[in-house]
Amino acid sequence: MMKWIPVALALALSACSSSPKTAYYQLPTAGSTSAVIGKTVTTPVWVERVSVPDYLAGNGVVYQSNDVQFVIAANNQWASPLDQQLQQTLVTNLSNALPGALISSTPLGQQHDTLNVTVTGFHGRYDGHAVISGEWILEHNGQLQKQPFTLALPQGEDGYDGLVRTLAKGWQQVAGQVANAIIREQ
């Protein structure tokens, strides 16, 4: 009986060592975002909310494996909720694109523009592309401007690291579209 204990212990330890390791991902912010050329933004912008659908709201990074199936990764997860990461990086990217403008994720007093974004796609796809889609609504002086966005960017490198970096680049492009709209409205 006692001679089986080391064998059982060895089997238990080998089973533990073969379990996949969980990786956590945080969206990188743009290192150098080119500023939008145009007039100065004088009205502060409140990024009120970035919402995501249920399939993106979980912890796992999402990959579309064929035209109808999505896989939510069990061992490749977001380090913090995706909607929060999207809102924080949007504020940073808009601030970089609109130097001197006050961009915030908290209300900015009585007079401010309000931006709300609904993300419907933020995932990898079976053809090697990263998909970023949805719409944003900008409220300026009581007027609403609604704009859809759809990007399918080729993934520059394989794996989840490459996917997250490509998604971040696409999100930066969406921020550039919003920054141009803010300039037009001011």
Side-chain angles (χ1 to χ4, degrees):
M1 172 94 163
M2 293 295 281
K3 62 182 172 183
W4 291 107
I5 292 177
V7 173
L9 185 60
L11 287 173
L13 288 175
S14 67
C16 291
S17 66
S18 66
S19 63
K21 187 174 182 175
T22 301
Y24 296 94
Y25 293 92
Q26 186 75 28
L27 287 174
T29 56
S32 60
T33 304
S34 57
V36 175
I37 301 191
K39 59 185 177 177
T40 305
V41 174
T42 55
T43 306
V45 178
W46 173 28
V47 180
E48 182 179 21
R49 178 179 47 248
V50 175
S51 60
V52 297
D54 288 346
Y55 84 101
L56 293 174
N59 294 335
V61 177
V62 175
Y63 178 78
Q64 183 179 357
S65 58
N66 62 37
D67 61 335
V68 296
Q69 188 175 47
F70 291 83
V71 177
I72 300 172
N75 295 313
N76 294 285
Q77 299 190 356
W78 294 111
S80 60
L82 181 59
D83 57 346
Q84 291 175 13
Q85 288 192 51
L86 291 170
Q87 183 179 29
Q88 292 164 355
T89 55
L90 182 59
V91 168
T92 300
N93 290 337
L94 285 174
S95 296
N96 290 339
L98 301 168
L102 180 56
I103 313 291
S104 177
S105 59
T106 57
L108 300 164
Q110 297 293 342
Q111 178 120 1
H112 56 77
D113 290 353
T114 303
L115 176 66
N116 283 289
V117 183
T118 301
V119 174
T120 56
F122 200 81
H123 59 273
R125 194 169 63 191
Y126 57 91
D127 62 359
H129 286 77
V131 175
I132 301 100
S133 61
E135 68 181 19
W136 51 264
I137 299 174
L138 178 65
E139 181 182 355
H140 175 74
N141 291 335
Q143 300 293 316
L144 297 178
Q145 178 183 356
K146 180 178 175 181
Q147 183 67 43
F149 57 88
T150 302
L151 300 170
L153 304 175
Q155 205 172 312
E157 56 186 286
D158 290 339
Y160 282 97
D161 291 3
L163 172 59
V164 170
R165 287 185 187 105
T166 306
L167 288 169
K169 286 178 188 172
W171 192 237
Q172 182 182 359
Q173 289 179 24
V174 171
Q177 294 171 4
V178 173
N180 285 321
I182 291 170
I183 289 289
R184 284 191 305 272
E185 291 296 320
Q186 298 263 323

